[in-house]
């Protein structure tokens, strides 16, 4: 019997202390959209064939579990598409009271995502893809690892 060693494409293991990717989530409509940006170039992320995710956006006053479910789904969609962990996001949402914003941060944390910022949908230019705009902002705000 032969044994095979499976490694990352570059041959090095993943550093568990490094932050994952940062994504943009547009939760200002009926269904959330997810995007990622690399070098300022955004791309919307879709579900893998045969693995659809329900990313219905809950109302702001929905239970925390509904929001956690949305963040988990957005993270899962991105991780499947990128084949790497996701740890941070910028969220686009309809304007809401500060108490609801605090609940969103808690729900995102419970789903393993640190919200870098919540942007009101009206702050994104008309005609611009909100998830892509959020992804570009997420890339800019993403914490950088410290140099050794």
């Amino acid at each position: 019997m032969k044994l095979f060693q499976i490694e990352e494409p570059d041959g090095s293991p993943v550093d568990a202390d490094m932050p994952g990717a940062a994504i943009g989530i547009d939760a200002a409509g009926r269904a959330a959209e997810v995007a990622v940006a690399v070098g300022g170039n955004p791309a919307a992320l879709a579900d893998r064939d045969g693995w659809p995710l329900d990313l219905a956006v809950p109302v702001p006053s929905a239970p925390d579990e509904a929001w956690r479910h949305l963040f988990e789904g957005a993270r899962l969609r991105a991780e499947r598409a990128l084949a790497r962990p996701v740890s941070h996001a910028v969220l686009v949402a309809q304007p809401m009271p500060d108490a609801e914003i605090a609940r969103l941060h808690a729900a995102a944390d419970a789903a393993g995502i640190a919200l870098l910022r919540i942007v009101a949908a009206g702050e994104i230019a008309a005609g611009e893809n909100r998830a892509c705009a959020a992804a570009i902002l997420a890339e800019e705000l993403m914490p950088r690892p410290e140099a050794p």
Side-chain angles (χ1 to χ4, degrees):
M1 174 194 322
K2 288 189 172 194
L3 299 176
F4 294 95
Q5 181 175 353
I6 299 173
E7 296 181 0
E8 290 297 313
D10 68 352
S12 62
V14 174
D15 185 350
D17 294 330
M18 295 293 290
I23 59 173
I25 304 170
D26 175 14
R30 296 183 72 181
E33 294 182 29
V34 182
V36 67
V38 177
N41 299 306
L45 302 175
D47 290 327
R48 289 177 40 190
D49 289 337
W51 298 93
L53 292 169
D54 176 18
L55 296 183
V57 177
V59 296
S61 61
D64 294 352
E65 184 174 315
W67 282 100
R68 182 182 52 80
H69 179 73
L70 173 71
F71 288 120
E72 287 173 346
R75 190 180 104 217
L76 182 58
R77 177 180 287 175
E79 288 179 347
R80 284 177 177 171
L82 301 172
R84 65 179 280 210
V86 169
S87 59
H88 294 77
V90 168
L91 177 71
V92 178
Q94 295 299 335
M96 58 185 70
D98 290 342
E100 300 299 330
I101 290 173
R103 289 181 55 235
L104 291 182
H105 279 279
D109 285 342
I113 293 178
L115 283 181
L116 299 167
R117 184 175 293 169
I118 298 177
V119 178
E123 295 179 38
I124 307 293
E128 188 173 1
N129 181 302
R130 293 185 301 241
C132 289
I136 292 169
L137 184 56
E139 182 184 35
E140 292 171 4
L141 297 175
M142 178 70 178
R144 304 287 182 236
E146 294 182 23

